Amino acid sequence: MKLHLPRLHREERNNILLFLACMFVHVMTGFAKSNYGATIAYIVREGIFDKPASGKIASAFYIFYGIGQIVGGKLVDKFSPYKCIAIGVLGALICNLILVFSMNYTVVLIVWSINGFLQFGIWPGISRIVATDVFPVFRQKAGFHLSYGLTLGNIFSFLCAALLLDLFGWSVMFGSSAIMLLAALVIWILASRLKPTEKERDVPAVVEKKQEVSKEPKPGLWKVFNASGFTLTLPVAILACMLSNGTQVWIPTMIMESYTVSQSWANVQSIILSIVGVLALWSVMPLFKRMKDEMMARVLFYALALVPLVVLQFIGKVPMVLAVVMLAMFQSVIGFSGAFTNSIFGRFAPYGYSGAAAGISNSMSSFGIVIASTLYGVIAASSWGWSGVAAVWLILTVLIVLGYLITSVLWRKYFKIGKKYEA
C-alpha cells in the first residue's frame, strides 16, 4: 500500500525542519532542567546533601530561571530569537559540564542558579519562532506538539536516572545533559540557516490569508496585555504550575507512602503516567483543532480535572489501581490545557509581543514551582498527609477555573472570537 503524501515546496520542507529543531531543543533542555530533580533522591540517599540543602538548590534554579524569563521575553522580541536560544543552550551546556567535576554545595548552588538565568531566551525564543517564523498552515500543529516537549524531557531524564545513577553515580546525569545539549546546540546552529525570508513567507502554498498591516501606531505591551485579559492569566499561571509541578514531582512519593510500594516501582508508575498523558494528548488533537477560544478550552479541561480530584481526596483508602487511574486522568486533562499555550502567545505576534508573553508567563510558572517545592512537602509531613495535598490541588483547580472564566470575557472581546464577531 502506497502512501500518497502531498508534495511540499522547498520552503515548506525547510520550515518543518526548523520546527523539528525547535522541538528537539525544547525536549533536550527539558531533560537538562529536570536532571537535578531526578538526581535528588540519590544525592540525599548517598549523603552528598541533605533534603533542605537539595531543596534550596532546586528553588534557586527556578528563582533565577523566572527572572531570566522576564528578561528573555523582552530580548527575543527586539533581537534575534535564534541567537538567544543558542546562548541559552551553550550556557546550560557549560554549567552541566562544570557539575560533572564538582559536587561542592556552594559550587552547585551558584552554578545551578546561573544555569537557570542563562536559559533566558530558550522558551521565549522558541515561542516567538513558532508564532512568527513557522508558516500559518503548520503553526497550530507546531504549538500542539510543543505542549508535550517538556514532558518528554522529564521522561528521558527519569529513565536515565533509573538506568544509570546506581551504576555510575551522580555525575552521569550532568554528563548526559552536557552531551544532549551539545547535540541540541549543533542542530540549532544548522537549523538557524533555515529561517524563512519575507519572500518565502509569501509562497502561496503556505499562506492562509494575507493580513493587512495596520498603519496605526503599535499599542504598548501592557496596554495589549491588560485589554486582552492576558495580565489576569499571570497569577493563574502561578497556580497552574503549582498544580502541574505537584503532580510531576510528588506523585512517586505520594504513591510510595500511601500504598507502601518501593521507590523504584513508584517511579515506574510516574513514568507510565507521563507517557499516558502524552498519548491522551494525541487522542484529543481533532478537538484541539476545533476549539478557537483558548481560555474557554482551559476552563473546560480544568473543570474536568475536578472529577478525579474528588476521588483523590481519599488516596490511601481507595484501591491503588483506582488512585493511579484517577492520577492518570488528572494529569491528562490538565495536560490538554497546555496544548493551547503557544496558540495564546501567537495571538500577540501581530503586535510583536509573542516572546514577551511567553517569557513573562513562563516566569510566573517558575515562581509557582518554587512555592510548590516547599508547600507540598510541608503539608504531606503534617497530620493532613497526602489527603491534604490532594485537597490543595482541588482548591487550586477551582481557582484556576474561575480565573480563566473571568479572563475569557476580555479575551473573546479583544480578539473577536465567536459567532458574535463573525461576518
Side-chain angles (χ1 to χ4, degrees):
M1 180 179 177
K2 294 183 179 180
L3 291 176
H4 296 283
L5 299 176
R7 291 189 62 184
L8 298 176
H9 290 260
R10 177 182 59 83
E11 293 85 357
E12 291 178 295
R13 290 196 298 270
N14 288 346
N15 206 240
I16 292 172
L17 290 173
L18 175 62
F19 166 70
L20 290 176
C22 287
M23 186 70 176
F24 185 75
V25 170
H26 186 39
V27 173
M28 290 303 100
T29 52
F31 176 95
K33 278 199 295 186
S34 61
N35 70 340
Y36 176 76
T39 314
I40 284 180
Y42 177 88
I43 289 173
V44 172
R45 188 186 74 192
E46 296 298 311
I48 300 171
F49 305 139
D50 58 20
K51 288 182 180 178
S54 299
K56 288 178 183 177
I57 293 170
S59 295
F61 173 88
Y62 281 104
I63 289 171
F64 283 91
Y65 180 80
I67 296 170
Q69 292 301 289
I70 297 174
V71 175
K74 297 286 287 183
L75 290 178
V76 300
D77 283 333
K78 291 186 176 181
F79 304 103
S80 168
Y82 295 86
K83 291 180 180 177
C84 290
I85 291 171
I87 292 170
V89 176
L90 177 61
L93 166 61
I94 294 171
C95 289
N96 275 272
L97 271 178
I98 293 172
L99 296 187
V100 170
F101 304 103
S102 176
M103 211 56 178
N104 174 275
Y105 177 73
T106 304
V107 172
V108 175
L109 180 64
I110 294 173
V111 171
W112 209 239
S113 299
I114 293 172
N115 181 31
F117 183 82
L118 286 177
Q119 296 185 41
F120 65 90
I122 297 177
W123 176 242
I126 289 174
S127 295
R128 189 196 160 189
I129 289 170
V130 169
T132 58
D133 287 357
V134 171
F135 295 147
V137 291
F138 303 140
R139 195 167 293 156
Q140 189 181 48
K141 285 185 178 180
F144 175 85
H145 292 305
L146 276 180
S147 66
Y148 58 81
L150 192 59
T151 302
L152 290 180
N154 289 337
I155 291 171
F156 293 149
S157 182
F158 278 93
L159 279 174
C160 186
L163 295 173
L164 302 177
L165 264 179
D166 287 330
L167 292 175
F168 302 104
W170 53 264
S171 62
V172 72
M173 291 301 293
F174 299 104
S176 299
S177 289
I179 293 171
M180 300 293 188
L181 290 167
L182 178 60
L185 181 61
V186 172
I187 287 173
W188 187 248
I189 291 172
L190 295 174
S192 295
R193 302 175 182 177
L194 302 177
K195 176 183 178 181
T197 63
E198 290 299 325
K199 182 179 179 181
E200 288 174 335
R201 289 193 184 96
D202 289 335
V203 173
V206 300
V207 177
E208 288 183 331
K209 183 168 66 175
K210 191 75 175 178
Q211 293 183 342
E212 293 183 6
V213 179
S214 174
K215 296 180 181 180
E216 297 180 6
K218 185 174 74 171
L221 184 147
W222 287 108
K223 183 177 181 180
V224 173
F225 284 0
N226 292 337
S228 64
F230 181 75
T231 304
L232 296 176
T233 69
L234 298 180
V236 180
I238 295 176
L239 302 180
C241 205
M242 287 176 64
L243 189 65
S244 60
N245 178 258
T247 58
Q248 290 171 358
V249 173
W250 290 101
I251 277 179
T253 309
M254 175 184 271
I255 295 173
M256 182 177 67
E257 295 186 355
S258 298
Y259 294 99
T260 320
V261 297
S262 68
Q263 180 180 346
S264 59
W265 177 238
N267 284 335
V268 169
Q269 287 182 324
S270 183
I271 292 171
I272 292 172
L273 287 175
S274 297
I275 295 172
V276 168
V278 173
L279 295 176
L281 190 60
W282 272 70
S283 70
V284 298
M285 191 171 181
L287 180 63
F288 169 76
K289 291 179 179 179
R290 293 192 184 101
M291 301 185 79
K292 304 300 181 183
D293 185 345
E294 298 90 350
M295 296 302 164
M296 284 306 297
R298 288 191 159 186
V299 169
L300 170 63
F301 289 126
Y302 276 105
L304 288 174
L306 293 170
V307 176
L309 277 175
V310 170
V311 179
L312 289 174
Q313 301 308 302
F314 305 98
I315 191 161
K317 299 175 183 177
V318 298
M320 184 175 70
V321 173
L322 178 59
V324 171
V325 170
M326 291 299 103
L327 286 167
M329 286 179 60
F330 176 52
Q331 279 195 311
S332 296
V333 292
I334 64 174
F336 296 159
S337 70
F340 295 89
T341 300
N342 276 281
S343 179
I344 290 172
F345 302 150
R347 293 278 186 184
F348 301 105
Y351 304 97
Y353 299 142
S354 57
I360 295 171
S361 181
N362 206 28
S363 174
M364 296 300 103
S365 298
S366 66
F367 296 141
I369 293 176
V370 174
I371 297 170
S373 299
T374 304
L375 179 64
Y376 298 140
V378 171
I379 295 173
S382 71
S383 59
W384 293 336
W386 290 108
S387 294
V389 173
V392 172
W393 290 351
L394 183 63
I395 294 169
L396 287 175
T397 305
V398 171
L399 293 174
I400 291 167
V401 169
L402 292 175
Y404 283 129
L405 192 59
I406 294 169
T407 302
S408 67
V409 178
L410 293 172
W411 191 260
R412 290 170 67 87
K413 182 178 179 181
Y414 192 81
F415 291 112
K416 296 181 171 54
I417 303 169
K419 292 182 180 179
K420 178 181 176 181
Y421 301 102
E422 292 175 1

